[in-house]
């Protein structure tokens, strides 16, 4: 069974500093996708970034980057230059390949950005 | 803009009184999902549709049913809501990823269900 672990229930970061949110995963599939979502207090889930298991380069999207270490099965999210609006829950998720439709979510990390 | 719409945003129902939540999409995605999310927890998948094929999670209570009459619409029926069913219900869509698992989910804003 697939599993996602996020070991940091809560994190604090000073505004304008960088922060890394940890995610490790467990799968026996060779083809899979890793996703990060942001959920502000308003409740909507916002897609941030995607990394495919065969991608050799780490994904980047604006201030978001994904530190993908396949051998260690980790997919950490790095947010650079934190902003107050980054305060939210962050979920790491995995989608199995080979026509798999299910997404498995980690328990989430609550990030608080301090002024 | 293409999007996922959920109605209503807030729903109050009485203990044991059937309730239906609705989801529609303009993305023409063939996969649709229903999640239950309780406070400060990860979303819990209830079921998903791949086109008209219904896929129920093993631990989804029989109290929860779903219908997908066409590509655009999907409904969540709670036949006899209990106090423990109070939660945020999220609808999501995705393209079929094939081999690559490449496509993300698009979420609606959610329906917050209160059971009195």
């Amino acid at each position: 069974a697939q599993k996602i672990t996020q070991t940091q229930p809560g994190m604090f970061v000073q505004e304008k500093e960088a922060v890394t949110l940890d995610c490790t995963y467990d799968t026996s599939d060779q083809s899979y996708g890793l996703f990060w979502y942001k959920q502000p207090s308003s409740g909507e889930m916002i897609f941030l970034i995607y990394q495919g298991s065969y991608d050799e380069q780490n994904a980047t999207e604006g201030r978001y980057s994904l530190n993908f270490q396949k051998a260690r099965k980790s997919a950490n999210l790095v947010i650079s230059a934190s902003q107050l609006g980054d305060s939210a829950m962050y979920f790491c998720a995995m989608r199995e390949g080979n026509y798999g439709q299910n997404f498995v979510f980690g328990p989430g990390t609550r990030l608080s950005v301090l002024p | 803009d293409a999007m996922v719409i959920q109605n209503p945003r807030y729903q109050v129902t009485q203990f044991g009184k059937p309730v239906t939540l609705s989801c529609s999409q303009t993305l023409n995605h063939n996969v649709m999902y229903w999640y239950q999310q309780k406070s400060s927890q990860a979303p819990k998948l209830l079921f998903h549709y791949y086109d008209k094929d219904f896929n129920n999670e093993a631990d989804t209570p029989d109290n929860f049913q779903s219908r997908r009459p066409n590509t655009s619409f999907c409904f969540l029926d709670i036949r006899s809501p209990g106090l423990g069913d109070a939660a945020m219900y999220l609808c999501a869509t995705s393209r079929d990823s094939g081999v690559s698992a490449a496509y993300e989910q698009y979420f609606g804003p959610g329906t917050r269900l209160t059971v009195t």
Side-chain angles (χ1 to χ4, degrees), chain B residues 5-111:
Chain B
I5 302 161
Q6 289 188 247
N7 285 307
R9 294 291 307 276
Y10 301 90
Q11 176 75 57
V12 180
T13 190
Q14 292 178 334
F15 182 93
K17 184 174 181 182
V19 66
T20 295
L21 310 182
S22 72
C23 176
S24 64
Q25 55 137 338
T26 60
L27 298 159
N28 205 33
H29 287 169
N30 54 354
V31 191
M32 293 187 78
Y33 307 80
W34 278 105
Y35 289 90
Q36 180 192 65
Q37 187 180 28
K38 298 190 175 180
S39 182
S40 299
Q41 295 182 19
K44 178 182 181 297
L45 181 65
L46 296 173
F47 23 63
H48 77 269
Y49 277 92
Y50 179 80
D51 291 327
K52 285 194 172 291
D53 292 335
F54 177 70
N55 297 269
N56 198 32
E57 292 299 295
D59 59 353
T60 298
D62 292 340
N63 198 27
F64 292 87
Q65 303 286 320
S66 185
R67 297 169 282 135
R68 189 180 186 186
N70 54 50
T71 300
S72 301
F73 286 87
C74 196
F75 300 97
L76 171 62
D77 301 309
I78 308 176
R79 295 194 294 190
S80 182
L83 297 178
D85 296 328
M88 175 76 89
Y89 289 87
L90 295 167
C91 174
T93 73
S94 182
R95 292 170 63 179
D96 174 12
S97 68
V99 173
S100 68
Y103 299 114
E104 70 273 24
Q105 289 176 308
Y106 290 75
F107 284 83
T111 294

Side-chain angles (χ1 to χ4, degrees), chain A residues 62-83:
Chain A
R63 294 187 299 112
Y64 305 107
S65 60
L66 202 152
N67 184 0
F68 181 47
Q69 298 187 45
K70 191 172 182 177
R72 298 178 61 182
K73 293 189 174 178
S74 76
N76 299 337
L77 177 70
V78 180
I79 305 174
S80 63
S82 297
Q83 302 172 357

Side-chain angles (χ1 to χ4, degrees), chain A residues 86-101:
Chain A
D86 294 334
S87 295
M89 281 289 284
Y90 288 81
F91 292 99
C92 180
M94 178 167 60
R95 182 177 196 173
E96 59 187 351
N98 296 317
Y99 301 93
Q101 309 303 338

Side-chain angles (χ1 to χ4, degrees), chain A residues 21-102:
Chain A
L21 306 183
D22 294 342
C23 173
T24 57
Y25 60 92
D26 183 26
T27 181
S28 56
D29 292 340
Q30 296 300 309
S31 177
Y32 51 88
L34 297 159
F35 303 81
W36 277 92
Y37 291 87
K38 171 185 178 182
Q39 189 176 40
S41 56
S42 55
E44 75 269 31
M45 293 280 277
I46 302 165
F47 165 69
L48 297 178
I49 195 166
Y50 157 80
Q51 179 85 42
S53 59
Y54 293 115
D55 294 341
E56 295 187 352
Q57 302 278 349
N58 286 339
T60 61
E61 289 287 346
R63 294 187 299 112
Y64 305 107
S65 60
L66 202 152
N67 184 0
F68 181 47
Q69 298 187 45
K70 191 172 182 177
R72 298 178 61 182
K73 293 189 174 178
S74 76
N76 299 337
L77 177 70
V78 180
I79 305 174
S80 63
S82 297
Q83 302 172 357
L84 296 178
D86 294 334
S87 295
M89 281 289 284
Y90 288 81
F91 292 99
C92 180
M94 178 167 60
R95 182 177 196 173
E96 59 187 351
N98 296 317
Y99 301 93
Q101 309 303 338
N102 277 4

